Amino acid sequence: MVSTFVLLLTTLVVIGVLKILSVLHHAYFYWRNKGLPYLPNSISSFITVWKVFAGYIPLADYCQYIYRSFPNAKYVGGVDFFTPAIFLRDPELIRDIMVKDFEHFPDHRIFVDESVEPLFGKNVFSLRGDRWKDMRTTLSPSFTASKMKFMFDLISKCSHDFVNYLVDHPELCQEVDTKAAFRRYTNDVIATAAFGISVNSMKDRNNEFYTRGIEATTFTSGLLTLVKFIFLRVCPRLAKLIGLSFFPSATSKFFKKIVGETIREREIQDIVRPDMIHLLMQARDKEGASVPKMTLDDIVSQAFIFFFAGFDTSSTLMCFAAHELAVNQDVQDRLREEILQHLTKGNDEISYESLSKMSYMDMVISEALRKYPPFVLIDRLCVKEYELPPSQPGSKKVIVKPNNTLMFPVYAIHRDPKYFPNPDKFDPERFSEENKDNILPYSYLPFGHGPRKCIGNRFALMETKILIAHLLQKFTLKTVEKTVEPVVHYKAEFSLAPDGGFWIGLEKRET
C-alpha cells in the first residue's frame, strides 16, 4: 500500500517537473527560434528573473539590464512569468502599438481572474473588449476638467487639514516618514471624492477606511506572496474552490458594505453628488438590450481601483516630489516663489485657476514622473495578429500572435540619456516651454498613451500639486539623516521606493 502511494506520488512529481520544464523551454527558447534578440536562455538568466519576483533584485534594475543589453534593437524577446513577452524600446513603435494600431492591442494582461477576485478583476483597468469600452465611457465624465474643478474644493480642504495638523504638531516634523503621512492625505481625498465620506486620517489615525486601505495596498514580494500570486494566476478555479483571494476577505466586505450603504442612502434621500458613485449609479439604471446590467460588484470594483491607485500610487509620486524638493533647495525656492505669486489676494488661498497657471509646478511634477514613473513597466495584450518590423538591421520581421504580451519598460526609457541627457539629474527645465518640444514623442510615458492611458491622471496631478503648494506655503522641506540620496531602490517591492523609506524634515516658515 505504501509502495503504491510512493510510486503514485513519484509519478505525479515527475509529470509536474516535466510539465514545468516544457513550459519553461517554450518560454525561454520561443524568441530564439524566431530570430529575435533575447536574453541568454541560461540557468543564470532564469534564476535572475525569479530573484526579481522573490525580492532579491529591484524590478527597475532588472528592466534597465534588459533595456541596455540591446542598445540598437527596437524590441527584445523576454519572458512574463511562464509566457513569452516582447520588450519594446523604440518610441515610434510604442506609438504604433498604443495609438495607431490600438485595435490590435486594446487590453491589459489579467493578473487575477474576476471570478476569484471580483474586487480587482471587474475594474476598468482589468476589463477587456467591449466591457472595457462601456466602462471607460461610463467613467470618463468623472475626470473631465469641469469635474476636476468641482472636486477641487473637496481636495483642497483635505490638503489644508493635513498641512494644518502638521503645523499644530511640530514634534512630528523633525523627521517625517512621508509615505506614511501622504497615504493618510490620499486616503481622505479618495474617501470624499469617490465615496462621499468625510475622514481626517491625521486626527482619527485608525479609522477603518485608512486601515482597510493599508491592508489592500501593502504588498511585499516575498516567497509566500509570490507563490500565492502564481497560484491565483495559473489555477484560478482551484483558488476559488479553496477560497483563496488576492485581498483579505474583510477588506472586500468593507468596500462592498461602504458602497452599498452609500448607494442606499442616496436613493432613499434622493442625494445627487457629481462623483464616481453617482455616475456608476446612473450607468446601472440605463435601459437597453445593448447595455449589460451593472451589478453592485461592478460598481464596487470601479470605486476600489480608484481607491487602490490613488491611495498608494499618488502618495508615492508626492513622496518622490517632496524628496527632490528637499534635496534641491534651489528648485524648492523657485517653486515656492511661484506659489506665493499665485495666492488669492486677501486670503492667501489657492484657487483651481491659479493652480492651473503654475507652470513651474507642472515642470517639477513632470520631472518627478520622469525620474520616478508610477509603474516600472506597463503592458498591452495582442488580440489580433500583428507584424512588427525587423528589430535590428539584417533581422527578420516578427509576427505577434493573439495572447502575446508586449511590455513597455517605462523606467528604463525615462533613464535613457538618448532621450533625457544626464537622466539621474532632477532637472525640471526639461519640461519648460522652450525645452519640452525637444522631448521625443512617446519617450515620456508616466501614464501611458492612447485609449488605455490612465483615466485618473488629471486627478492624481491635481491632488499632488495642491498638497505640494500648501506644504511649501507653510514649511521648508529639508533632508535629514535618514534621507536616502541618491535613491537606492528597495528590492522587495515591484513599485519604486527608496531602500530605507521616504524621510524628510519640515521646518516651519515664518509667514
Side-chain angles (χ1 to χ4, degrees), residues 300-360:
V300 173
S301 187
Q302 309 320 313
F304 175 74
I305 195 63
F306 187 39
F307 178 86
F308 185 86
F311 186 86
D312 197 65
T313 311
S314 297
S315 61
T316 301
L317 168 58
M318 295 166 198
C319 290
F320 278 121
H323 171 89
E324 290 292 349
L325 290 170
V327 170
N328 300 280
Q329 288 293 318
D330 56 332
V331 175
Q332 183 181 160
D333 292 342
R334 182 175 165 186
L335 179 55
R336 181 180 294 106
E337 186 179 328
E338 179 182 69
I339 292 164
L340 297 178
Q341 286 174 354
H342 284 88
L343 294 178
T344 305
K345 289 180 182 177
N347 62 4
D348 282 352
E349 281 298 317
I350 295 167
S351 66
Y352 176 81
E353 289 74 18
S354 65
L355 188 72
S356 64
K357 291 176 184 175
M358 293 183 191
S359 58
Y360 194 64

Side-chain angles (χ1 to χ4, degrees), residues 276-287:
M276 180 180 287
I277 296 290
H278 178 67
L279 286 166
L280 290 166
M281 287 171 65
Q282 286 182 314
R284 177 200 60 178
D285 296 336
K286 280 183 182 175
E287 299 292 335

Side-chain angles (χ1 to χ4, degrees), residues 136 143 148 447 453-462:
R136 179 86 181 200
F143 300 99
M148 293 300 101
F447 298 110
K453 183 176 182 177
C454 173
I455 192 172
N457 70 89
R458 274 181 172 165
F459 187 92
L461 290 172
M462 185 171 71

Side-chain angles (χ1 to χ4, degrees), residues 24 34-35 119 147 152 175 194 209 230 267 285 308-309 312 319 335 342 351 381 433 442 445 451 490-492:
L24 290 175
K34 292 182 177 293
L119 196 63
K147 289 296 191 301
F152 179 86
E175 286 185 332
F209 213 87
I230 294 172
E267 287 174 335
D285 296 336
F308 185 86
D312 197 65
C319 290
L335 179 55
H342 284 88
S351 66
L381 190 72
E433 284 298 322
Y442 298 90
L445 304 160
Y490 182 48
K491 297 173 184 176

Side-chain angles (χ1 to χ4, degrees), residues 98-113:
M98 287 189 170
V99 181
K100 183 167 168 278
D101 300 316
F102 174 77
E103 70 273 12
H104 290 264
F105 306 93
D107 297 330
H108 289 299
R109 57 193 170 143
I110 290 178
F111 291 102
V112 183
D113 190 276

Side-chain angles (χ1 to χ4, degrees), residues 89-365:
R89 300 181 74 263
D90 179 58
E92 191 173 328
L93 200 50
I94 290 171
R95 178 207 63 192
D96 290 347
I97 301 301
M98 287 189 170
V99 181
K100 183 167 168 278
D101 300 316
F102 174 77
E103 70 273 12
H104 290 264
F105 306 93
D107 297 330
H108 289 299
R109 57 193 170 143
I110 290 178
F111 291 102
V112 183
D113 190 276
E114 69 175 77
S115 65
V116 177
E117 190 59 84
L119 196 63
F120 200 80
K122 287 177 174 283
N123 66 67
V124 69
F125 180 86
S126 300
L127 291 175
R128 294 179 171 183
D130 290 339
R131 291 180 68 199
W132 165 76
K133 286 181 186 175
D134 292 340
M135 189 59 72
R136 179 86 181 200
T137 302
T138 298
L139 294 178
S140 290
S142 297
F143 300 99
T144 60
S146 61
K147 289 296 191 301
M148 293 300 101
K149 188 173 181 178
F150 170 82
M151 288 191 279
F152 179 86
D153 289 340
L154 295 173
I155 299 170
S156 187
K157 182 184 183 303
C158 292
S159 179
H160 268 305
D161 290 345
F162 175 83
V163 173
N164 288 338
Y165 187 89
L166 292 172
V167 170
D168 294 338
H169 294 80
E171 72 279 3
L172 300 177
C173 299
Q174 298 300 313
E175 286 185 332
V176 180
D177 176 355
T178 54
K179 183 68 172 181
F182 292 162
R183 279 198 300 200
R184 293 184 179 278
Y185 163 67
T186 54
N187 178 76
D188 297 355
V189 166
I190 295 165
T192 187
F195 295 85
I197 298 168
S198 181
V199 181
N200 187 329
S201 297
M202 294 299 279
K203 289 182 179 178
D204 183 8
R205 300 189 71 79
N206 293 312
N207 69 81
E208 192 173 10
F209 213 87
Y210 176 76
T211 57
R212 294 300 181 195
I214 292 291
E215 285 178 0
T217 58
T218 302
F219 296 104
T220 54
S221 295
L223 187 59
L224 285 176
T225 303
L226 177 64
V227 171
K228 179 180 176 181
F229 180 80
I230 294 172
F231 191 80
L232 284 165
R233 191 172 178 187
V234 176
C235 309
R237 289 182 182 176
L238 184 56
K240 186 177 182 180
L241 189 66
I242 64 176
L244 185 68
S245 61
F246 204 53
F247 303 107
S249 60
T251 302
S252 301
K253 288 176 183 175
F254 170 74
F255 281 99
K256 194 165 185 174
K257 174 172 167 282
I258 284 288
V259 173
E261 288 176 352
T262 300
I263 290 173
R264 280 193 296 275
E265 186 178 347
R266 292 186 184 191
E267 287 174 335
I268 293 168
Q269 300 186 30
D270 200 23
I271 296 171
V272 175
R273 196 173 186 270
D275 58 11
M276 180 180 287
I277 296 290
H278 178 67
L279 286 166
L280 290 166
M281 287 171 65
Q282 286 182 314
R284 177 200 60 178
D285 296 336
K286 280 183 182 175
E287 299 292 335
S290 62
V291 182
K293 189 70 175 174
M294 191 177 292
T295 66
L296 179 60
D297 275 348
D298 292 322
I299 296 176
V300 173
S301 187
Q302 309 320 313
F304 175 74
I305 195 63
F306 187 39
F307 178 86
F308 185 86
F311 186 86
D312 197 65
T313 311
S314 297
S315 61
T316 301
L317 168 58
M318 295 166 198
C319 290
F320 278 121
H323 171 89
E324 290 292 349
L325 290 170
V327 170
N328 300 280
Q329 288 293 318
D330 56 332
V331 175
Q332 183 181 160
D333 292 342
R334 182 175 165 186
L335 179 55
R336 181 180 294 106
E337 186 179 328
E338 179 182 69
I339 292 164
L340 297 178
Q341 286 174 354
H342 284 88
L343 294 178
T344 305
K345 289 180 182 177
N347 62 4
D348 282 352
E349 281 298 317
I350 295 167
S351 66
Y352 176 81
E353 289 74 18
S354 65
L355 188 72
S356 64
K357 291 176 184 175
M358 293 183 191
S359 58
Y360 194 64
M361 173 74 82
D362 193 63
M363 291 161 59
V364 168
I365 301 304

